[in-house]
Amino acid sequence: MISFIGNRPALQIGSHQVLDYDTSWLEDAIRRAATAADHEDFPMVSEIRNGIELYLENKCALRLLHLEDLFERMRKMLVTIGCAPIAEKLQPLAPPMTVSLIRAAQSAGNGFELAFFDTIRTELFELREAGAEEINFTGLRESARILRGEKKWSKTCETLFNEIHNFLIACDKEVSSAQGPMRLNLES
């Protein structure tokens, strides 16, 4: 059986599901919307976040909630309490996510680095479009080993590992310049 933090539903963000998340990112989303609506001094950010957290933990019967649906519910709540200008400016923001590169390496297969890189780039743009701004990539070393078809770490694995690392750094800059700030963290 899967245990959910605080009985919160899993969040569907693009093709990924996030199970372990806090709710501090919701405050960021509400503050951004308030600022965009020229209400920088909006005093109820924490109370709204607490209300959403209460909903997620006690009232939401879903085990899987799409991020877009959560933000649509947040917009309706803001309109209900008289904050329609803020609701209009509310944009989806995902919690920090962890994405393993191993799955992409396995689906690309031995010797198909271009397919791997294309998959990662597409996935990164899709996640950013869905509201992700902080992504922790894991499995870089294992991905390089899988793509090289090696049972043990080798010099060719090291070379590919460096290529993957540099590719992700370049993607971070590319996505950030095209769609706004993003933080990619790389763990081997």
Side-chain angles (χ1 to χ4, degrees), residues 32-44:
R32 290 177 188 184
T35 299
D38 292 327
H39 293 286
E40 292 86 10
D41 59 344
F42 186 60
M44 300 184 336

Side-chain angles (χ1 to χ4, degrees), residues 49-114:
R49 172 192 163 192
N50 291 340
I52 296 164
E53 190 172 313
L54 186 67
Y55 163 75
L56 290 171
E57 292 178 357
N58 299 309
K59 302 286 185 190
C60 184
L62 301 172
R63 296 302 349 145
L64 179 66
L65 179 61
H66 288 264
L67 186 68
E68 306 86 34
D69 294 340
L70 173 62
F71 274 80
E72 187 56 38
R73 291 171 191 259
M74 289 171 59
R75 283 185 202 92
K76 288 178 183 175
M77 184 202 60
L78 286 164
V79 168
T80 301
I81 64 171
C83 301
I86 295 172
E88 290 173 13
K89 300 293 184 178
L90 187 65
Q91 295 295 316
L93 177 64
M97 302 177 58
T98 299
V99 174
S100 173
L101 297 175
I102 295 171
R103 186 185 70 192
Q106 289 171 334
S107 67
N110 178 12
F112 292 98
E113 290 90 5
L114 290 178

Side-chain angles (χ1 to χ4, degrees), residues 125 128-129 171-181:
F125 275 93
R128 182 63 183 106
E129 193 68 28
C171 280
D172 185 11
K173 292 176 186 172
E174 181 181 344
V175 172
S176 292
S177 67
Q179 298 177 324

